[in-house]
Amino acid sequence: MKALRLHRDLTRIWESEPGWRGVFSSVSHTDLGKRFIVAAAVFFGIGGVLAMLIRAQLATPGSAFAGPEVYGQIFTMHGSIMMFLFAIPMLEGLAIYLLPKILGSRDLAYPRLTALGWWCYLFGGTIMILALLGGVAPDAGWFLYPPLSGKEYTPGVNSDVWLLGITFVEISAMCAAIEIVVTILKFRAANMSLTKMPIMAWYLLATAGMMVFGFPPLILGSILLEVERAFGWPFFQPELGGSPLLWQHLFWLFGHPEVYIIFLPAAGALSTIIPVMSRTPLIGYGAIVTAVMALAFLSFGLWVHHMFTTGIPHLALGFFSAASVLVAIPTAVQIFAWIGTIWAGRPKFTLPMYYIVGFFVVFVLGGLTGVMLAIVPFDQQAHDTAFVTAHLHYVLVGGFVFPMLAAAYYWMPHATGRTRVMRLGIAAFWLIFIGFNLTFLHMHLTGLLGMPRRVYTYPVEAGWTWLNLISSVGSFLQAFGFGLFAIDIALQRRIGNRSERDPWEAETLEWAMPIPPPQYNFASLPTIDSREPLTRDRALGADLAGGRGLLGRAVGNRRETLAVDMVTGTPEHVAILPGPSLVPLVTAMVIGGFFLSMLLSLYWLAPVFIVGTAIMVWRWAATTGTIRDPGPIEAGEGLVLPTSFAVGGSTAYWGSVLAAAANGTLFASLIFGYLFLRVVAPNWPPPGEYGLYLLEPGLITIGAILALVFARFGRHNFVRAKVGAVATALCLALSAAVLLVSGLRHLPGPTEHAFAAVSWMLTGYAIFSAMVGALIQLFASRRVASGHASAERPHGLRIAAVWSDYGAVVAIVVVWLLALSSAAL
Amino acid sequence: MSTIDPAGPSAARVADLWWWMLGGSALLAVLVFVLLFIALFRKGVADHETPERKRVWIGWLGLAMPVGVLMVLLAFALWVGERNLPTGSAARTIDVTAYNYGWEFCDENGNCAEDVLRIPAGRAVDLDITSRDVIHSLWIPRLAGKMDAIPGQVNRLRIEASAPGTYEAVCAEYCGVGHADHRFVVEVYASDGVAEAAGAAR
């Protein structure tokens, strides 16, 4: 009886608004996770259709099906869609849907940020697809190498679509990355220490951590290339001191970690599903966690293996070659841990298991060809041929698509509450598996026989005719397989039988809830004492539903969940989460306005949307917090905890720290770009006279140090908080003004030379960072005035200090870097 | 066009490397698949008390085996890579400029030719490769690995053909709508006699 009443009350608190308004205002991680997954699947379908067009074109030599212009758009969009609109959002969707459920929480750390990410993804992806339909899609290959993608050789809007559309979508990746890290570190079940986390959480922690540091180089590269295209700043033009290789470094500095960002969540699904299907615990939990962390770390040190033919000295290549083969080791550890687990257990031949076996076959072959390609002399032969095309499909389809298909069948009963209907899934598996290998296995040979990538046609004499025809036949088998899979999933959703709770006898918390899951996930929150809570206690789900856990009550409209100590999992505070809101949608639309005005070359309009975005973010932040603190509250089981309003280490604080880390990576990439151009690019030093200057650096140093001090003014004596915040904002704004003056006095126009372009970019970045810090401190002063920040709730000031400190440090670094390097020219 | 039908020492060394790696990979793949097959169909036990045998799976198979295999492979590869470098003197040095959509070859005397590279057989030749517009990649599959043609920089590639003949070459880096037809041929002449004196560009 109690369970039923609790269910009714909690549903009222946690459900989305009714009707259309609910569609636009929902912040539920279950809804948004499903939307991400469905949209990613739709984009996969579109990318798949493009793949079919490629295979139709290449089926015969001299085919007249598509000309080279159209073919350029097709293969570029196939790659871009599969990477940026399918793989990354699919793993985000999986994480968004699953994370709170496996951690024993009611939602993610920032529900409205989840929604913002969703809308950015949807709008950015839509821009890309509309461009494709309009025939103006990107056509320089999915890694968009300049100068081909530059203004001179791609005068149309094609490259801009990629740069702007993908950057728009990446906003959602950055949101998701920060949210995933903070959720894993803070929103866990009581007493779930790091070592008791489900293995999937470790994988997602590594993935999201990599995203925080992996995406900024690409975002920076995209900004630089777009600025070059739009305003003529010559970052990548060798005749003006730029270098096209800078783009390749920035792109692959992202692009290689990206491969592991895609693989790790899929591997996490395997590490979750294999033990359940083998009816035995995973062997080597600690070894796997170590391997995953090693993989995440190593993956940042081997981007150059995509550039073995660019003329980098052989010994340097040898270093990156060794680093590249090294990643085979943590991967091998996981492969053998999984086989060892199957060996130890008694495997069930369920549908997910079919796909897991398919994964082993395909991925192991892809891994082996990967080791081959890491070998410099061999790569110089195989690079940019069909061999690489075959390899990357073995790795990505083997390492991501097959595990995701297993995951789809494994978690479908959870999302829909229904079981699979027919044996359709088995047929789909065989079509996909056979079709895949028939497409790609002998494509390795096609490459070794000399067929380059990205050719729209080939002569009969080349001898690749049969090989290509077989690939095309295989690809169509595969397409039928995916079609059948889609039908199977649709049938399960519509007419599947009701599933019992926990149909797989699984071990993790997501199965300790009714399925399909209620909006609040858990009626009361579990306390954990082992890594496999369900194996220990099969009745856990019923207990939680009956309210025999933490926070098993309904208070007003308050959305409560538990926040814990990052390491030990000891309950720390009660996080109070925001409800449905239209703010994320409107914010995404304003950001979209910025991207559209850039895309349509309405550059005068773009600043309007930047201001608009700042206003929306201000409004967003203004609707958080409270002026009436409930004080410490009962959490159940005798626990009395403070609320998130009154603690220092809130999720907002840690999110700001991570945002600063990501931001710092972007900044570091920009400095790397500057040094790279200076050392490597031709046509340096720039023409003109340069010398040391000290006035502006001195003023900015004083201003920035004062900003650092004033930001701490209210720490010990809250009475001074408001004055401190205003003073900080003022110091930063003045520093920004001096930065601008310094640039105008000492730098040539940004279009004259790459030195000027990159110096202006650094100056602009420093001004932007200082202004963001100033605005946030201004906001903090308003919060003191309104009573949201008070002596009892001072942590808003701490968050503002993260941003203003960052702005101050960047200003100092930039102005000295420019002054000193100007002296050294 | 086949890399596994080499016609010069550099391509031959890489082809050898390929066959060794293919053999090794086949062995490893068979090992993994056999283990997986046995794991799937042997009579296991489904409980939580089975000894984990971590040493065998993770220590030996996961760590020790790949470390051993990869060390050997890296040493072999470094040896091959060093021998393919343009060290020591070359019989000729030819400036190559790639552009949309053609190739220009100029020898030391300033004689230039379009889309035909003429070199002597049995002699090492260095190509100094650059581009006039976008990034291209010079690839003569039967002679050597590829080297990018990048505007603003010059990359050197050592090639050598063992016997006279005609060899196909292509652009390997996507360079725009004409990429598929961005080709040239290498004409290798017997290195003794008059032909050599005539120079690289006829």
Side-chain angles (χ1 to χ4, degrees):
Chain A
M1 253 349 263
K2 182 171 181 225
L4 209 59
R5 203 181 62 237
L6 196 55
H7 170 71
R8 237 187 2 251
D9 291 345
L10 285 170
T11 301
R12 173 181 56 75
I13 295 175
W14 286 86
E15 74 187 345
S16 299
E17 293 174 294
W20 276 105
R21 198 186 154 83
V23 174
F24 296 117
S25 69
S26 173
V27 293
S28 148
H29 77 99
T30 302
D31 293 352
L32 292 166
K34 285 196 282 195
R35 283 189 207 175
F36 262 97
I37 290 170
V38 170
V42 170
F43 283 119
F44 179 77
I46 298 173
V49 169
L50 294 175
M52 293 301 99
L53 297 180
I54 293 175
R55 285 318 322 171
Q57 167 72 15
L58 293 181
T60 53
S63 162
F65 178 72
E69 294 87 1
V70 173
Y71 190 75
Q73 295 193 17
I74 292 174
F75 74 72
T76 302
M77 285 299 283
H78 168 70
S80 305
I81 288 176
M82 288 307 195
M83 284 290 178
F84 296 104
L85 303 182
F86 160 64
I88 298 278
M90 180 60 90
L91 72 88
E92 287 164 17
L94 183 73
I96 288 169
Y97 178 85
L98 220 48
L99 252 190
K101 300 183 175 81
I102 62 174
L103 294 174
S105 163
R106 282 180 179 150
D107 208 328
L108 292 163
Y110 318 108
R112 293 186 300 177
L113 198 66
T114 325
L116 175 71
W118 157 250
W119 295 114
C120 287
Y121 165 48
L122 184 68
F123 295 159
T126 306
I127 291 175
M128 303 275 292
I129 299 303
L130 288 179
L132 182 66
L133 295 176
V136 290
D139 56 1
W142 80 272
F143 30 81
L144 215 78
Y145 281 177
L148 182 61
S149 58
K151 199 73 181 171
E152 192 180 347
Y153 302 100
T154 307
V157 78
N158 311 55
S159 299
D160 303 312
V161 169
W162 194 98
L163 294 167
L164 297 165
I166 296 295
T167 305
F168 199 4
V169 172
E170 273 152 17
I171 293 177
S172 86
M174 292 312 298
C175 294
I178 292 174
E179 177 156 34
I180 290 168
V181 173
V182 175
T183 302
I184 294 173
L185 292 179
K186 294 301 290 183
F187 280 14
R188 301 199 300 265
N191 295 351
M192 184 189 276
S193 63
L194 285 179
T195 52
K196 288 193 189 118
M197 288 205 300
I199 191 86
M200 183 72 171
W202 278 110
Y203 277 98
L204 289 174
L205 184 62
T207 306
M210 289 171 73
M211 287 166 78
V212 168
F213 298 106
F215 274 80
L218 178 65
I219 294 176
L220 174 73
S222 301
I223 294 172
L224 297 185
L225 187 51
E226 182 55 30
V227 169
E228 176 178 302
R229 287 181 54 86
F231 307 117
W233 298 21
F235 300 106
F236 307 110
Q237 297 168 15
E239 58 276 22
L240 290 173
S243 167
L245 281 186
L246 173 59
W247 169 267
Q248 297 194 15
H249 281 289
L250 291 174
F251 186 89
W252 293 117
L253 199 48
F254 146 82
H256 204 83
E258 148 99 340
V259 176
Y260 296 92
I261 287 170
I262 291 172
F263 169 63
L264 283 180
L270 293 170
S271 283
T272 306
I273 301 171
I274 287 174
V276 173
M277 295 305 160
S278 305
R279 295 177 262 205
T280 186
L282 183 66
I283 73 168
Y285 176 96
I288 289 183
V289 170
T290 315
V292 168
M293 293 302 152
L295 207 58
F297 182 76
L298 284 174
S299 71
F300 282 91
L302 38 82
W303 77 95
V304 173
H305 75 211
H306 296 267
M307 301 167 65
F308 279 168
T309 64
T310 57
I312 294 169
H314 186 242
L315 269 182
L317 296 186
F319 169 80
F320 285 100
S321 172
S324 305
V325 299
L326 223 54
V327 293
I329 295 166
T331 312
V333 166
Q334 292 175 74
I335 296 272
F336 286 111
W338 291 328
I339 296 181
T341 304
I342 299 174
W343 187 289
R346 206 149 50 83
K348 294 188 266 196
F349 288 92
T350 55
L351 197 46
M353 205 61 180
Y354 277 73
Y355 282 103
I356 286 170
V357 174
F359 150 81
F360 274 109
V361 174
V362 174
F363 184 74
V364 166
L365 294 180
L368 290 168
T369 55
V371 171
M372 295 179 188
L373 285 172
I375 301 305
V376 178
F378 180 72
D379 178 77
Q380 289 170 339
Q381 276 288 22
H383 178 70
D384 268 337
T385 68
F387 188 96
V388 172
T389 314
H391 157 74
L392 75 91
H393 283 89
Y394 264 85
V395 175
L396 290 172
V397 175
F400 187 71
V401 177
F402 275 90
M404 281 296 124
L405 292 169
Y409 280 114
Y410 180 73
W411 278 299
M412 263 310 269
H414 189 280
T416 61
R418 293 170 189 273
T419 55
R420 179 158 86 78
V421 245
M422 282 183 282
R423 305 191 64 81
L424 226 51
I426 307 277
F429 165 77
W430 285 112
L431 277 174
I432 294 173
F433 182 75
I434 293 172
F436 176 82
N437 287 292
L438 205 56
T439 313
F440 291 109
L441 187 59
H442 61 282
M443 197 185 278
H444 296 101
L445 181 62
T446 318
L448 291 177
L449 293 183
M451 184 166 171
R453 280 170 95 171
R454 299 175 170 175
V455 289
Y456 78 103
T457 191
Y458 51 93
V460 188
E461 311 84 67
W464 310 321
T465 310
W466 277 102
L467 294 168
N468 274 297
L469 185 62
I470 296 170
S471 286
S472 296
V473 171
S475 74
F476 279 87
L477 280 187
Q478 227 184 127
F480 287 129
F482 281 110
L484 218 51
F485 167 80
I487 294 172
D488 192 31
I489 291 288
L491 284 177
Q492 175 171 354
R493 164 132 171 60
R494 305 296 297 180
I495 60 168
N497 291 324
R498 300 293 308 174
S499 167
E500 56 188 319
R501 186 186 278 201
D502 192 8
W504 308 108
E505 297 180 334
E507 299 161 341
T508 37
L509 281 175
E510 79 270 30
W511 300 104
M513 61 177 68
I515 54 174
Q519 289 282 338
Y520 52 82
N521 283 351
F522 301 96
S524 61
L525 302 179
T527 302
I528 295 303
D529 57 2
S530 91
R531 217 175 274 155
E532 290 111 21
L534 282 189
T535 313
R536 233 14 119 66
D537 177 12
R538 286 277 157 209
L540 182 63
D543 279 352
L544 295 177
R548 290 183 286 280
L550 299 174
L551 297 174
R553 46 92 193 286
V555 187
N557 280 322
R558 204 162 69 195
R559 296 186 170 203
E560 299 174 317
T561 193
L562 190 69
V564 299
D565 180 87
M566 289 194 211
V567 178
T568 61
T570 314
E572 189 190 83
H573 66 261
V574 176
I576 294 172
L577 298 174
S581 163
L582 290 173
V583 173
L585 172 64
V586 178
T587 309
M589 283 161 66
V590 176
I591 297 173
F594 169 77
F595 282 108
L596 277 180
S597 49
M598 288 298 292
L599 191 59
L600 301 174
S601 302
L602 302 171
Y603 302 127
W604 56 272
L605 194 60
V608 176
F609 288 106
I610 294 180
V611 174
T613 306
I615 293 171
M616 285 313 298
V617 173
W618 184 294
R619 281 205 48 195
W620 183 312
T623 52
T624 59
T626 178
I627 49 174
R628 277 185 302 108
D629 195 338
I633 51 179
E634 278 291 324
E637 294 175 8
L639 221 53
V640 177
L641 297 172
T643 62
S644 45
F645 302 127
V647 291
S650 68
T651 54
Y653 174 75
W654 290 111
S656 297
V657 171
L658 281 170
N663 214 342
T665 311
L666 185 101
F667 182 43
S669 306
L670 184 54
I671 292 179
F672 162 79
Y674 176 39
L675 298 178
F676 178 83
L677 289 180
R678 228 183 136 126
V679 174
V680 172
N683 297 320
W684 279 69
E689 292 293 308
Y690 299 92
L692 184 65
Y693 50 93
L694 293 170
L695 174 64
E696 291 91 349
L699 287 175
I700 287 169
T701 308
I702 295 169
I705 288 177
L706 282 177
L708 290 171
V709 173
F710 281 128
R712 281 150 185 76
F713 219 47
R715 278 282 154 92
H716 300 295
N717 185 356
F718 195 81
V719 182
R720 302 187 301 192
K722 195 176 158 193
V723 181
V726 174
T728 311
L730 203 63
C731 288
L732 282 173
L734 286 174
S735 299
V738 180
L739 273 163
L740 182 64
V741 172
S742 174
L744 290 172
R745 282 191 52 202
H746 301 289
L747 293 174
T751 55
E752 286 174 25
H753 191 271
F755 167 72
V758 82
S759 301
W760 272 111
M761 189 52 79
L762 281 162
T763 305
Y765 178 75
I767 292 174
F768 179 78
S769 303
M771 292 310 292
V772 169
L775 275 177
I776 289 179
Q777 284 290 352
L778 213 57
F779 177 77
S781 76
R782 303 288 305 152
R783 297 291 269 184
V784 178
S786 65
H788 283 87
S790 66
E792 298 78 43
R793 297 182 296 278
H795 78 287
L797 295 173
R798 228 180 123 195
I799 295 170
V802 172
W803 295 88
S804 64
D805 288 359
Y806 183 78
V809 171
V810 168
I812 295 178
V813 173
V814 165
V815 77
W816 281 107
L817 179 71
L818 294 184
L820 295 175
S821 69
S822 168
L825 271 173
Chain B
M1 291 289 285
S2 170
T3 61
I4 43 182
D5 177 21
S10 175
R13 281 189 286 266
V14 177
D16 273 352
L17 180 65
W18 152 252
W19 291 116
W20 279 106
M21 289 198 299
L22 179 66
S25 299
L27 282 178
L28 287 174
V30 167
L31 170 74
V32 174
F33 297 154
V34 166
L35 285 176
L36 177 68
F37 187 83
I38 299 174
L40 284 168
F41 293 104
R42 81 189 266 275
K43 257 184 133 54
V45 279
D47 62 28
H48 289 77
E49 271 84 57
T50 324
E52 285 196 344
R53 316 185 86 164
K54 262 200 303 212
R55 276 257 303 269
V56 178
W57 288 108
I58 290 170
W60 288 108
L61 286 167
L63 274 173
M65 185 190 69
V67 168
V69 172
L70 294 174
M71 297 257 278
V72 174
L73 179 62
L74 275 176
F76 186 19
L78 200 64
W79 180 77
V80 172
E82 285 292 328
R83 295 199 48 187
N84 285 357
L85 289 180
T87 47
S89 66
R92 355 190 50 107
T93 304
I94 296 175
D95 288 331
V96 184
T97 308
Y99 58 91
N100 281 344
Y101 294 95
W103 303 84
E104 184 184 71
F105 303 96
C106 294
D107 68 8
E108 303 89 334
N109 306 320
N111 299 323
C112 297
E114 298 279 315
D115 297 335
V116 181
L117 170 62
R118 290 176 52 85
I119 57 167
R123 298 291 183 83
V125 173
D126 281 346
L127 304 179
D128 280 350
I129 305 164
T130 190
S131 165
R132 194 178 292 163
D133 39 43
V134 302
I135 297 176
H136 305 269
S137 191
L138 181 147
W139 189 31
I140 316 161
R142 295 188 60 199
L143 297 190
K146 54 187 75 64
M147 183 58 84
D148 290 355
I150 301 171
Q153 79 180 59
V154 176
N155 291 333
R156 175 165 286 189
L157 176 71
R158 166 77 48 100
I159 60 170
E160 183 180 332
S162 306
T166 304
Y167 303 95
E168 301 273 332
V170 292
C171 173
E173 182 65 60
Y174 184 69
C175 57
V177 289
H179 172 59
D181 301 316
H182 193 205
R183 307 163 158 267
F184 65 94
V185 289
V186 184
E187 290 181 6
V188 180
Y189 52 86
S191 66
D192 42 11
V194 191
E196 189 179 4
R202 200 164 337 166

